[in-house]
Amino acid sequence: MSKVKYFYDLMSQPSRALWIALQMSKTSYEDCPVALRKLENRSEKFKKINRFQKVPCIVDGDFHLGESVAILRYLSDKGHIDGQLYPKDLQSRAQVDEFLEWQHLNLRLPCSTYFLKVGLYPMMGLAEVPTVEKLTELQNEMENNLKLVENVWLKHKDFLTGNKLTAADLFGACEIEQTKICKYNVSDKFPKISDWLSKVRQESNPFYDSGHKFVNKLAK
Ligand SMILES: N[C@@H](CCC(=O)N[C@@H](CS)C(=O)NCC(=O)O)C(=O)O
């Protein structure tokens, strides 16, 4: 039986979260890196792999699937994801799902908008460095949601959905880590998030560090 093909770029937050989950789960897959910086995802060839031309995505035989969370659930149902990361127990899994649904608009959107507009686009010469007013607006939007992570999700818990690391933590951490490329230091205002990031790293290493190699290099 042929292996699932995993298309990803480690500079993409959801790609990285899934990549770490795959390594932790000791999943055997066909490695298919896609260099977004070289616009490899914009080719006609890649359009045939994922009609939305985004990463991550998978191909399993004739079956094509995009969207990181859908991929996580599909691979979990196929037995490819460790049961602690995406639990089988109905309520534990629903709590992980609750975060995975929440994060799209509340963590991914503000953190990735901040990363793109403050970091990547000016770095690539695609946009001006934002004005102080715009920077404050983008930062406030992100921090309003980081406050919810600090005070709600991490209230009385070591990890986002309980006392064990799950895929929710990997997805959340990968979004927040990306902001350090913009010299944003989450520990300045959010001590619980900072402690939690250290725990996520500790529980998922060495894969967390290898997955973040390029992010850490750019953040220097
Ligand atoms: N909701 C999607 C988001 C996928 C996404 O936005 N991927 C970005 C990288 S983080 C991408 O492929 N961008 C390339 C492009 O838009 O050209 C998921 O969770 O998989």
Side-chain angles (χ1 to χ4, degrees), residues 27-150:
T27 306
S28 169
Y29 62 88
E30 191 177 323
D31 194 52
C32 303
V34 179
L36 295 181
R37 69 187 183 287
K38 295 186 191 159
L39 303 179
E40 286 177 3
N41 60 314
R42 302 282 172 91
S43 67
E44 282 306 309
K45 189 174 162 217
F46 191 72
K47 199 173 185 176
K48 294 196 177 91
I49 292 163
N50 179 359
R51 64 203 189 285
F52 295 113
Q53 295 179 280
K54 301 227 182 237
V55 289
C57 60
I58 58 167
V59 175
D60 186 13
D62 292 336
F63 181 68
H64 293 227
L65 191 67
E67 288 298 326
S68 53
V69 175
I71 298 169
L72 175 77
R73 291 179 183 141
Y74 176 80
L75 292 179
S76 167
D77 283 350
K78 283 199 74 160
H80 293 326
I81 301 289
D82 176 272
Q84 179 184 314
L85 291 179
Y86 195 64
K88 296 273 180 268
D89 169 72
L90 184 61
Q91 293 188 351
S92 308
R93 192 179 60 213
Q95 284 174 320
V96 174
D97 283 339
E98 185 185 32
F99 179 81
L100 292 175
E101 300 297 348
W102 182 86
Q103 56 92 26
H104 286 297
L105 289 182
N106 297 288
L107 201 57
R108 173 156 174 75
L109 184 62
C111 289
S112 63
T113 304
Y114 183 85
F115 163 67
L116 293 173
K117 296 201 170 165
V118 179
L120 192 70
Y121 292 162
M123 211 188 280
M124 290 177 74
L126 297 173
E128 299 283 313
V129 174
T131 59
V132 175
E133 290 77 20
K134 187 68 191 162
L135 181 69
T136 309
E137 184 191 314
L138 291 165
Q139 190 166 320
N140 286 344
E141 181 58 25
M142 180 171 74
E143 289 183 342
N144 285 340
N145 290 288
L146 291 176
K147 278 182 202 153
L148 294 174
V149 176
E150 176 93 1

Side-chain angles (χ1 to χ4, degrees), residues 131-185:
T131 59
V132 175
E133 290 77 20
K134 187 68 191 162
L135 181 69
T136 309
E137 184 191 314
L138 291 165
Q139 190 166 320
N140 286 344
E141 181 58 25
M142 180 171 74
E143 289 183 342
N144 285 340
N145 290 288
L146 291 176
K147 278 182 202 153
L148 294 174
V149 176
E150 176 93 1
N151 300 322
V152 180
W153 286 103
L154 290 173
K155 193 177 181 183
H156 310 312
K157 289 188 258 102
D158 282 347
F159 293 98
L160 291 170
T161 65
N163 289 320
K164 283 186 179 161
L165 176 99
T166 70
D169 299 287
L170 298 178
F171 275 75
C174 287
E175 289 299 337
I176 297 175
E177 290 285 3
Q178 196 98 343
T179 63
K180 67 186 178 195
I181 296 176
C182 315
K183 310 290 175 221
Y184 182 78
N185 187 354

Side-chain angles (χ1 to χ4, degrees), residues 15-33:
S15 289
R16 195 161 63 238
L18 260 183
W19 184 88
I20 297 169
L22 289 172
Q23 312 310 310
M24 290 182 75
S25 307
K26 301 189 172 56
T27 306
S28 169
Y29 62 88
E30 191 177 323
D31 194 52
C32 303

